[in-house]
Amino acid sequence: MMYGIFSYDIALPRVGFKTGDRIHGEYILDLEVVSLLGCFAGIPVDTTVFARPCLNEFIAQGKPVWEAVGKRLAELIAHETHTLASVHDQVFIHQSRVTMHLPVQIGDYTDFYAGIYHAENVGRMFRPDAEPLLPNYRHMPVAYHGRASSIVVSGTGIRRPSGQFLDGGKPMFGPSRTLDFELELGLIIGKNSPLGVPVPVQEAEDYIFGVVLFNDWSARDIQRWEYQPLGPFLGKNFGSSMSAWVLPFSALEPCRVAGMAQQPAPLPYLQQSTPGHFDLALEVVLQTQTGDELVISRSNARHLYWSFAQMIAHHTINGCNLRIGDVLASGTISGPTPDACGSLLELTENGTRPLNLPSGQAQPFLADGDTITLRGWLGEGNKQIALGEVSGQILPSFQQFG
């Protein structure tokens, strides 16, 4: 039950709806063809949006339209034998035939630091003689503004970045030696907000169209040398990977839970009256060029300290406006146990305790040829709903400059 942008054969990229069944396997419902068949009659939707190469125009139709289209699609799929059976091969495209594209045109991208266990783990590593959390952490959702142009769809290779880092206490230039992943969720903004007008925390979820899995790749050595005093730059902006499929935000409702107690109590503009966290299981799979493949982390979105609504409220409290297609990422989602860490920085304690792989290889950070895949799901058994996974393989760096 997810939306994405796909192309196949000579057809141009258009909107698809991911579905599947025991008989036909994994398929994509071609919404342009479905609309031409008149299946959205009675819904006030501009059906030309389904022929577009991104979801932005469909999202701009508004929440009542998203809900009506989603309900109609569920009905069509449930009663396929009556409605779409005679045109099955024209509307259901097997996933093996398609190329997936970035689902939205992204205007702006903000990455939060809302995972408190990750923040504490990093603080203990780099400030062992001080409190692990900086003084502002429990008062506001900390974030940085990232680079939208280098966000790529799942399956796109990630080139090992080069930059400056310290070697023996002296700056040098070369390929990153400590390349890492970060296990995150991304919010796709579904509604524009006016410049200068904050979004109240109680209305913030109305601005979310859907959720994706998100990998904020990080060059830790470059990041460590550059991040003071202004924060992440070249250690982050070389690439981020996003799922090709967007799960509608409404699908998360059955797994809504209360988050951990926030102490001290946030300022009034960040106080929510309803639970704002979600029980989403998450896992990270490492596949190495030497043939190892294993789950290296299992976490859960309920471990975030700040909720999605609080992130949006804080983002806009100064009047910053949101636009359809913007991406707000959660930051690394680590859990309270060592096997629930959402980055190699934590899993290997900054490389001092490398992963011991089945092949006997010791792995402190990512090597060329490694592939990281993030997966997530909500619910159990027959009611389980999977998020679209996101994967990326590490490619060698370009030839070095002086």
Side-chain angles (χ1 to χ4, degrees):
M1 303 292 283
M2 295 179 285
Y3 294 98
I5 299 296
F6 76 106
S7 61
Y8 67 103
D9 298 338
I10 61 171
L12 295 174
R14 77 278 302 282
V15 178
F17 190 73
K18 189 175 184 180
T19 183
D21 57 63
R22 298 172 186 172
I23 298 174
H24 301 114
E26 290 291 318
Y27 276 79
I28 298 169
L29 187 59
D30 187 332
L31 298 195
E32 182 185 18
V33 177
V34 170
S35 67
L36 293 173
L37 293 172
C39 294
F40 296 126
I43 298 175
V45 58
D46 176 1
T47 55
T48 64
V49 300
F50 298 119
R52 301 290 187 257
C54 65
L55 289 171
N56 296 54
E57 291 186 44
F58 169 60
I59 295 172
Q61 301 286 293
K63 188 173 182 178
V65 169
W66 315 337
E67 292 177 343
V69 167
K71 182 178 179 181
R72 181 66 54 82
L73 290 172
E75 293 169 351
L76 289 171
I77 293 169
H79 301 93
E80 180 193 338
T81 53
H82 302 295
T83 310
L84 300 177
S86 63
V87 289
H88 183 278
D89 292 344
Q90 286 73 50
V91 293
F92 288 95
I93 313 301
H94 196 275
Q95 184 138 348
S96 63
R97 295 178 55 194
V98 309
T99 298
M100 298 304 301
H101 305 270
L102 203 64
V104 291
Q105 182 178 348
I106 304 168
D108 282 295
Y109 155 52
T110 299
D111 193 31
F112 283 87
Y113 196 47
I116 191 169
Y117 293 111
H118 173 70
E120 288 178 334
N121 291 338
V122 172
R124 277 190 287 267
M125 274 188 280
F126 296 119
R127 296 184 300 276
D129 299 323
E131 288 294 321
L133 296 178
L134 292 172
N136 63 359
Y137 189 87
R138 291 181 181 272
H139 292 276
M140 63 180 181
V142 178
Y144 75 91
H145 187 242
R147 183 72 179 176
S149 66
S150 55
I151 298 176
V152 296
V153 71
S154 176
T156 306
I158 297 295
R159 184 74 61 179
R160 180 178 297 275
S162 294
Q164 285 193 34
F165 50 85
L166 291 181
D167 185 16
K170 295 181 180 180
M172 70 166 293
F173 177 85
S176 171
R177 299 172 180 175
T178 55
L179 189 55
D180 201 357
F181 70 89
E182 290 192 348
L183 171 62
E184 306 193 18
L185 289 171
L187 307 178
I188 305 300
I189 295 300
K191 183 178 176 182
N192 295 329
S193 69
L195 180 64
V197 180
V199 174
V201 69
Q202 306 303 342
E203 300 175 15
E205 289 184 357
D206 291 336
Y207 286 77
I208 305 172
F209 169 72
V211 179
V212 295
L213 283 167
F214 194 86
N215 186 344
D216 181 35
W217 303 95
S218 301
R220 300 300 185 186
D221 42 7
I222 297 172
Q223 180 185 356
R224 190 175 303 122
W225 174 228
E226 73 179 0
Y227 85 102
Q228 295 180 355
L230 293 181
F233 183 37
L234 300 184
K236 293 280 192 177
N237 68 6
F238 61 91
S240 299
S241 297
M242 190 169 86
S243 168
W245 294 103
V246 183
L247 181 70
F249 185 66
S250 59
L252 302 188
E253 195 57 43
C255 66
R256 185 183 291 273
V257 294
M260 66 182 71
Q262 295 182 335
Q263 294 294 334
L267 294 175
Y269 77 94
L270 290 172
Q271 293 178 8
Q272 284 184 267
S273 59
T274 57
H277 288 69
F278 298 91
D279 183 9
L280 283 173
L282 305 167
E283 71 176 19
V284 182
V285 178
L286 169 65
Q287 182 178 7
T288 71
Q289 198 170 35
T290 56
D292 292 299
E293 183 172 349
L294 69 162
V295 176
I296 58 174
S297 176
R298 290 185 173 90
S299 188
N300 194 294
R302 69 188 306 157
H303 297 314
L304 288 170
Y305 187 77
W306 298 102
S307 72
F308 299 152
Q310 288 173 318
M311 295 179 210
I312 291 172
H314 185 66
H315 198 305
T316 63
I317 193 61
N318 66 344
C320 176
N321 56 320
L322 300 175
R323 294 181 296 184
I324 291 169
D326 285 354
V327 173
L328 274 57
S330 63
T332 307
I333 307 174
S334 296
T337 57
D339 61 349
C341 292
S343 68
L344 283 172
L345 178 68
E346 301 163 84
L347 288 167
T348 69
E349 296 184 17
N350 196 25
T352 62
R353 297 171 62 89
L355 299 179
N356 293 315
L357 303 180
S359 64
Q361 179 182 354
Q363 184 104 356
F365 287 96
L366 295 173
D368 292 350
D370 287 353
T371 297
I372 287 288
T373 300
L374 310 183
R375 296 174 180 152
W377 62 92
L378 59 131
E380 299 292 340
N382 293 333
K383 295 184 178 180
Q384 186 180 101
I385 299 175
L387 281 76
E389 68 178 32
V390 56
S391 65
Q393 184 179 45
I394 303 303
L395 306 178
S397 65
F398 284 114
Q399 184 176 356
Q400 300 312 302
F401 302 95

